[in-house]
Amino acid sequence: MTAESHAPPPGSAETGGVLARRVTLADLLEGDSFKEVMSAFADLYRVGVKVFDASGHKLVDIRVGNSQFCGYLWEFGPTRQACTRLVTGLKNDPFETQDGVEVPRVVDCFTGLRYVVLPLLYEGDLIGRLIFGPYMPQSLPGLPDRLYQIEPKLDRRRADALVEQVRRAPDDLVAKLLTNVQKIVDVLVFTSYRSMLTSQMHIEAVTASFHELEDKNRTLKEQNERLQELDKLKSNFLATVSHELRTPLTSVIGYSEMLIEGMAGTLNDEQREYVKTIMDKGETLLSMISQILDLSRIESGNLRMDLSDFNVKDVLKHATTSVIPQCQKKSITLDIDIDGGLPFYRGDKDKIGQIVVNLLGNSVKFTPQGGKICLRGKLWTGPRRNKKAKTADDGAGMLFDLADETFVRIDVQDSGVGIPQEKIDKVFDRFYQVDNTSTREYGGTGLGLSIVKSFVEAHKGEIFAESEVGKGSTFTVLLPVS
Amino acid sequence: MVQFNQAQREITLKVVYYGPALSGKTTNLQLIHQFLDPQARGRLMSLDTADDRTLFFDLLPVFFKSKSGFKVKIKLYTVPGQIMHTSTRRIVLSGADGVVFIADSQRAEAKANNDAWRSMMENLRQNGITPDSIPIAIQFNKRDLPNVRTDAEIEEIRAKSKEPVFAAVAIRGEGVLETLFALLKLSYRNLNAKYDFEGKFGISEGEFLRSVFKRMSPAVAAQLQGKLGSTREGVPTDSGSNPPAPAVGDGTALDDRTTQDIRAKTGSSGGSSS
């Protein structure tokens, strides 16, 4: 991971993001709910309330009691002008500060009515102002004379009557209740700022984790692609090498055969025995190389199926002939139980033959002297063992796999060493031998069963093994009859 | 990164409390909140889970207005200590101007301390901050617990470490302000060297520290004075010229003040129409 990939994402503190963002009142307070709270407050005290945010945007404007009085003054030019000046000042005039902190302003109107302008502060920042008023100060006996100097046309009796509707309040009470308002607004702002930060941090943390995972996924994907490429290279290499190995080996075997047949003169018994050993070992080697070649073909996707209709019984019988000599050598009894009713099967005859040869060869290899091997073939109807054996495309259709299918079923049962339960599925892996020491004892490349599995799957069939250590194993091949 | 807002005449610094889970980062902030004058700090905001573990961070804003008219805000953050919150730690750490590393003195926590320290270095780098370029103070917390590193060991670490090392029992407030004081002093010097705080903004180191630590309750001030007597500025208390503010109790002073202000104004105002 590079430093670049984790440079602060947009919206982080460094780019002026959530932690550094300046809060505005309008961001934090839900407009209608805040209006309701302020409205309840204004009703309770019968005094108007206005709230502006720091940029002068009006959030709340509630008039109580003074509408008619102010409306009356608004009818006359000079009082209208004075009123406009006053209201502009309330909204815009800067606060005085004490020790760098804004303090409330008390503003008396030209009518003698009074306003208090309260700074709304958060973390020492001025985020807005609350204008409380107008109210009639308790100490004010009545409307002052200077009001009538501003506008002599005002009707004193009417003005006196209208101003009666304006709440008369002692300053002490006003100071107390504004302290409460300040507390309420403070809590509201704090709470919503906290929620805002929480949700923003949620988003940022999730985004950061997402980017991290994305980075990791990309790395994994790249590594995986590289591995696949290497795997392919390896398969190609195996294919080339095994092909190149086979060519000279064929000559070794061919010439040995010619020697045995006496084409280059008669051999004495000892010579014949030696040459025969050369030929036998050559053939073993050839078979191993063929397996590697098969496997590399399977892996490189070059497995060609040569389909035909054939008699399964014949193929099974023919396969046994390849292991009979070895069975005789180890005094292994080979039972063959093939159902006469087996149908003709459409598939790759050679590959099915090789499946059975490999399974039988495997059994012979792992069955001790005097053991028993049984080959059974029959038509069988039942469910698949492994639902995943079908292609991934089947997806949700897996549910329907519960239905039975009809298969040609081939079982190869032996009384060999057996396979531990936890390793039973691994025997079909390439190069796998249950116990690595067994490679020395029993020989082989560890490819046989892997090839068998590939061939079975090429026929859309299934192979599985059951085993008990020390008692023997049974390998079962199911080839679907379509 | 310190933020300058010339239009608003405002400077914002970020200090982050980093350290392993449950080492006492939040406790440090709680005690600072308790000790500082309510006029100099805001509310302590905790974004925590139901079981009191920090989910995202705690935030304690500290602020003052300089004589030259600049508003200085110092935002103290903690990071969540639990391993799973890596990305949150990185986000919170981004743009830090100073870091306090809270280590747990318990022997069993040595590995957790090391892991947290390494993750901090890594997170700083990933945020584009060279660890050498920002001040770091180390606090060995929980000195009162059994099975902790000995004083001699802490002394040895202090001798080797290029960062200042403090011993603390945060839960009792011991060592908390000392650590913050030292870190803020280093941060000031670091920023002054980079941005010429004194020349450009007219804020001296003395004023900077005095403004943050002013008007602490006299007991705390005295305690701090004793411990930090050797520093050049000492600890400014101002307790002579200001009434001692309550050490605890959120906002009471502010509220009283509002009431007083309004009373004073209404009492004295004759008819200041505008």
Side-chain angles (χ1 to χ4, degrees):
Chain A
M1 274 183 256
T2 62
E4 285 79 21
S5 69
H6 286 296
S12 78
E14 234 181 53
T15 49
V18 56
L19 295 183
R21 193 182 302 152
R22 237 189 137 79
V23 293
T24 74
L25 211 50
D27 284 344
L28 294 175
L29 297 178
E30 201 280 311
D32 290 341
S33 317
F34 185 56
K35 264 181 212 157
E36 269 177 40
V37 172
M38 286 297 118
S39 173
F41 169 75
D43 281 350
L44 184 63
Y45 293 103
R46 290 196 294 110
V47 176
V49 175
K50 289 186 178 62
V51 178
F52 294 89
D53 70 9
S55 51
H57 175 73
K58 196 195 299 180
L59 282 98
V60 173
D61 185 358
I62 298 154
R63 293 154 203 235
V64 182
N66 64 317
S67 302
Q68 286 190 322
F69 176 68
C70 292
Y72 178 57
L73 296 185
W74 195 253
E75 290 172 13
F76 303 91
T79 42
R80 183 161 64 231
Q81 278 167 20
C83 185
T84 309
R85 264 200 311 278
L86 172 87
V87 171
T88 312
L90 290 174
K91 192 181 151 188
N92 298 321
D93 284 353
F95 290 96
E96 284 172 32
T97 57
Q98 271 176 24
D99 295 338
V101 180
E102 286 82 358
V103 292
R105 291 174 61 219
V106 174
V107 180
D108 283 350
C109 172
F110 58 92
T111 57
L113 297 184
R114 185 166 283 175
Y115 290 89
V116 176
V117 188
L118 195 67
L120 299 177
L121 300 167
Y122 188 74
E123 288 183 7
D125 288 333
L126 184 66
I127 55 170
R129 60 175 69 200
L130 181 144
I131 301 166
F132 180 81
Y135 66 94
M136 174 80 91
Q138 194 81 319
S139 51
L140 192 74
L143 290 170
D145 283 343
R146 61 190 153 88
L147 174 62
Y148 302 100
Q149 288 159 16
I150 295 171
E151 179 49 78
K153 282 186 260 174
L154 283 172
D155 176 351
R156 277 186 189 250
R157 268 194 306 180
R158 183 156 181 217
D160 281 341
L162 289 176
V163 86
E164 276 307 305
Q165 292 171 21
V166 178
R167 166 86 194 253
R168 187 175 278 272
D171 289 326
D172 240 23
L173 176 72
V174 172
K176 267 187 196 158
L177 68 91
L178 285 184
T179 305
N180 283 336
V181 172
Q182 202 178 36
K183 267 187 192 165
I184 291 168
V185 174
D186 195 46
V187 168
L188 288 176
V189 168
F190 177 76
T191 313
S192 29
Y193 185 46
R194 188 173 179 277
S195 309
M196 189 187 86
L197 280 185
T198 310
S199 58
Q200 291 289 331
M201 281 300 292
H202 259 297
I203 294 168
E204 294 212 9
V206 168
T207 311
S209 304
F210 172 75
H211 287 310
E212 234 165 77
L213 283 178
E214 232 181 13
D215 277 356
K216 280 186 185 153
N217 279 348
R218 197 178 310 119
T219 315
L220 282 177
K221 202 174 158 220
E222 282 166 8
Q223 282 172 349
N224 192 28
E225 277 166 8
R226 175 93 189 112
L227 279 177
Q228 279 179 356
E229 205 176 302
L230 286 175
D231 199 48
K232 206 170 160 190
L233 281 176
K234 186 214 64 192
S235 296
N236 288 342
F237 173 76
L238 282 180
T240 314
V241 167
S242 28
H243 181 76
E244 295 301 319
L245 287 175
R246 246 166 28 151
T247 316
L249 197 53
T250 317
S251 302
V252 171
I253 294 167
Y255 281 102
S256 305
E257 206 170 357
M258 289 190 322
L259 281 176
I260 290 170
E261 283 171 9
M263 289 170 78
T266 319
L267 302 179
N268 66 31
D269 283 354
E270 201 174 359
Q271 284 169 334
R272 178 186 291 275
E273 191 58 33
Y274 288 175
V275 176
K276 194 166 182 315
T277 307
I278 293 175
M279 205 180 94
D280 280 354
K281 296 296 170 194
E283 269 172 354
T284 309
L285 191 54
L286 186 63
S287 133
M288 282 177 3
I289 292 169
S290 299
Q291 285 188 353
I292 295 177
L293 189 59
D294 280 345
L295 188 84
S296 51
R297 276 195 189 132
I298 292 166
E299 284 184 345
S300 55
N302 291 332
L303 186 67
R304 262 206 309 229
M305 295 285 282
D306 197 0
L307 297 181
S308 62
D309 291 304
F310 59 89
N311 188 338
V312 181
K313 189 173 178 177
D314 293 347
V315 173
L316 292 182
K317 278 210 166 141
H318 182 73
T320 55
T321 57
S322 68
V323 292
I324 285 172
Q326 291 159 276
C327 285
Q328 283 168 348
K329 225 189 220 169
K330 290 176 84 172
S331 313
I332 292 171
T333 319
L334 179 61
D335 274 356
I336 302 169
D337 172 13
I338 300 168
D339 187 351
L342 272 179
F344 267 61
Y345 181 78
R346 185 165 181 80
D348 187 317
K349 188 176 167 186
D350 288 346
K351 292 198 171 62
I352 302 239
Q354 206 181 330
I355 288 169
V356 183
V357 170
N358 279 18
L359 288 178
L360 285 171
N362 196 58
S363 288
V364 171
K365 195 157 73 177
F366 291 103
T367 300
Q369 201 81 19
K372 191 178 166 185
I373 294 174
C374 181
L375 171 69
R376 281 188 295 270
K378 63 180 172 187
L379 202 61
W380 180 81
T381 301
R384 283 176 186 262
R385 166 75 61 100
N386 181 6
K387 298 285 178 282
K388 284 177 194 155
K390 291 192 93 183
T391 60
D393 296 343
D394 291 347
M398 301 248 285
L399 278 175
F400 305 109
D401 283 356
L402 293 169
D404 287 352
E405 286 176 77
T406 301
F407 300 96
V408 169
R409 178 176 175 143
I410 304 163
D411 295 297
V412 177
Q413 187 178 8
D414 65 50
S415 62
V417 294
I419 308 158
Q421 206 54 40
E422 69 275 13
K423 293 180 172 167
I424 207 153
D425 287 329
K426 286 193 173 168
V427 296
F428 299 108
D429 290 352
R430 282 178 285 156
F431 308 113
Y432 189 84
Q433 295 223 344
V434 171
D435 176 359
N436 266 332
T437 57
S438 70
T439 316
R440 295 235 176 94
E441 192 182 339
Y442 300 107
T445 51
L447 287 173
L449 288 177
S450 160
I451 290 169
V452 167
K453 185 164 188 253
S454 303
F455 285 177
V456 171
E457 282 171 359
H459 286 89
K460 298 192 167 36
E462 189 184 9
I463 182 166
F464 53 88
E466 284 167 345
S467 183
E468 200 174 327
V469 175
K471 292 209 166 156
S473 316
T474 305
F475 285 82
T476 302
V477 173
L478 300 177
L479 299 169
V481 180
S482 51
Chain B
M1 277 292 285
V2 60
Q3 295 181 323
F4 302 105
N5 188 331
Q6 285 288 359
Q8 312 247 18
R9 291 179 72 76
E10 192 178 286
I11 303 165
T12 309
L13 272 69
K14 183 175 190 181
V15 171
V16 177
Y17 279 67
Y18 203 101
L22 295 170
S23 60
K25 301 172 290 292
T26 302
T27 311
N28 261 270
L29 248 60
Q30 284 167 343
L31 270 289
I32 293 167
H33 177 256
Q34 244 179 61
F35 286 153
L36 293 190
D37 177 5
Q39 291 243 351
R41 52 109 177 120
R43 284 173 194 271
L44 173 61
M45 179 184 289
S46 281
L47 304 188
D48 51 20
T49 57
D51 54 355
D52 272 352
R53 303 293 296 272
T54 304
L55 176 60
F56 288 128
F57 54 76
D58 305 303
L59 164 60
L60 176 65
V62 175
F63 39 79
F64 64 87
K65 199 152 198 174
S66 75
K67 285 178 195 136
S68 53
F70 274 92
K71 174 141 190 207
V72 180
K73 286 191 195 173
I74 304 163
K75 296 197 166 185
L76 308 179
Y77 288 92
T78 64
V79 296
Q82 287 162 287
I83 304 286
M84 62 181 194
H85 297 304
T86 312
S87 48
T88 312
R89 275 194 292 278
R90 196 164 47 234
I91 292 168
V92 175
L93 199 59
S94 95
D97 297 295
V99 179
V100 176
F101 185 84
I102 308 290
D104 192 323
S105 295
Q106 296 176 92
R107 289 197 179 282
E109 296 300 314
K111 187 178 180 300
N113 289 336
N114 282 336
D115 291 349
W117 178 267
R118 269 196 295 272
S119 87
M120 181 176 86
M121 292 295 146
E122 176 65 18
N123 282 334
L124 282 172
R125 280 190 209 98
Q126 285 184 353
N127 276 315
I129 303 173
T130 322
D132 283 346
S133 73
I134 69 162
I136 300 174
I138 299 171
Q139 181 188 97
F140 273 91
N141 190 17
K142 307 191 185 179
R143 300 297 301 145
D144 57 330
L145 293 189
N147 298 321
V148 295
R149 287 164 181 252
T150 63
D151 290 346
E153 282 174 281
I154 302 285
E155 198 50 54
E156 196 183 330
I157 293 169
R158 185 177 288 137
K160 281 185 194 159
S161 165
K162 61 180 172 23
E163 294 84 12
V165 174
F166 295 88
V169 184
I171 205 148
R172 296 206 298 253
E174 294 170 26
V176 169
L177 289 180
E178 288 89 333
T179 314
L180 178 65
F181 187 87
L183 193 269
L184 287 184
K185 190 158 78 173
L186 287 175
S187 302
Y188 176 89
R189 288 180 183 175
N190 186 43
L191 293 171
N192 193 35
K194 272 190 202 160
Y195 304 107
D196 189 18
F197 260 44
E198 186 139 22
K200 268 194 203 150
F201 311 113
I203 307 168
S204 71
E205 181 177 321
E207 187 192 358
F208 181 81
L209 294 170
R210 229 184 341 268
S211 306
V212 174
F213 292 94
K214 74 180 170 183
R215 284 191 279 193
M216 288 175 304
S217 68
V220 177
Q223 193 187 16
L224 199 52
Q225 183 84 61
K227 295 217 172 152
L228 294 170
S230 58
T231 57
R232 191 154 58 86
E233 288 75 21
V235 178
T237 62
D238 281 8
S239 51
S241 57
N242 285 297
V248 206
D250 207 348
T252 47
L254 191 64
D255 296 340
D256 289 348
R257 190 184 163 123
T258 307
T259 312
Q260 280 163 20
D261 285 340
I262 297 172
R263 278 189 188 134
K265 292 276 173 157
T266 50
S268 63
S269 67
S272 63
S273 68
S274 38

